[in-house]
Amino acid sequence: MSLKNTRDRWGGVSQAFHWLIVLMILGLAIVGLTMGELPRTPKYFWVYTAHKSMGISVLVLMLARLGWRLYAGAPVPVAGTPRWQAAVASATHWALYALALAMPLSGWLYDSASGLRPFRYFGLFDMPKLSGPNEWLAERARDAHELLFWVLVLLVAVHAGAAFYHHLFRRDETLARMLPARKVRPAPHPETDHVA
Ligand code: HEM
Ligand code: HEM
């Protein structure tokens, strides 16, 4: 498998970004939804800092991933995919980019506007603030952080559902070409093959 994306499949770099970020967002979601219930011991602050630091790591990785995607492009749609489905899939992918960037940005803005002390990124250095203390902005940013999360959940459900539908019912290469190792059938060539 090549590192760069080819016409037929996602390369190693896009796959690594994809699955690493899926795992990180899953961890952030579990911790984010439960950390408010923790007893107010010193560990409480540690868990919040871990959530914030991991979230900033997703922001950095998503920016690198966006750069890579613009440089390395994407495979052509799997053979037999109707044009409208390819357009919906592409729009979904760009919306996922926007959400996975907006989530950490809204969290960072909430942290900044709350007027707390700067949080130390994994205890290493102080993160800069995006704004001064501002209660109104803090509330809006916190609401956005929560709302964006549920929009992300909805979109990921559609996105992952589509991947499993392709794999289990259409039995095509959509999921396989985002996974390492397995050989995939070559994508159709526009000049020699007919695509529905
Ligand atoms: C992809 C990145 C992120 C994801 C998926 C995520 C997810 C979540 C979720 C699901 C919640 C619970 C929402 C609720 O029900 O109120 C939450 C809360 C929170 N997040 Fe994030 N988060 C991310 C990044 C960040 C970042 C970068 C920061 C700060 C620098 C941050 C700060 C917070 C804070 C302070 C809360 C508690 C909000 C409250 O008090 O209600 N998050 N996050
Ligand atoms: C279990 C959950 C998931 C499954 C099974 C899954 C599956 C897939 C598959 C099979 C593709 C390739 C589609 C194609 O070739 O047309 C893909 C692409 C993509 N997925 Fe997911 N995905 C999941 C979760 C997520 C999440 C949480 C995000 C949010 C960031 C995401 C963002 C993307 C993006 C942006 C692409 C386009 C490829 C790229 O630019 O890197 N996926 N996904």
Side-chain angles (χ1 to χ4, degrees), residues 112-195:
S112 306
S114 301
L116 304 168
R117 277 188 302 128
F119 80 89
R120 288 180 80 74
Y121 179 82
F122 287 117
L124 298 173
F125 55 86
D126 285 357
M127 282 296 292
K129 296 285 182 194
L130 296 176
S131 80
N134 180 332
E135 205 177 314
W136 181 89
L137 185 61
E139 269 178 40
R140 299 290 91 69
R142 194 192 54 208
D143 290 350
H145 197 60
E146 191 178 354
L147 179 70
L148 286 167
F149 173 69
W150 292 112
V151 177
L152 177 67
V153 168
L154 200 80
L155 215 61
V156 168
V158 172
H159 169 73
F164 287 118
Y165 166 77
H166 274 274
H167 190 71
L168 297 173
F169 297 105
R170 297 194 54 147
R171 296 180 177 276
D172 65 22
E173 312 290 347
T174 306
L175 183 58
R177 69 189 200 161
M178 192 37 115
L179 295 170
R182 268 195 47 198
K183 249 191 135 34
V184 300
R185 268 171 280 158
H189 197 278
E191 274 146 36
T192 50
D193 300 313
H194 291 287
V195 186

Side-chain angles (χ1 to χ4, degrees), residues 28 32-33 35 48 51-52 55-56 58 103-104 107-108 110 119 142 145-146 149:
L28 279 160
L33 290 170
M35 64 191 182
Y48 267 71
H51 176 87
K52 293 175 189 179
I56 294 295
V58 167
M103 270 309 293
W108 189 4
Y110 171 49
F119 80 89
R142 194 192 54 208
H145 197 60
E146 191 178 354
F149 173 69

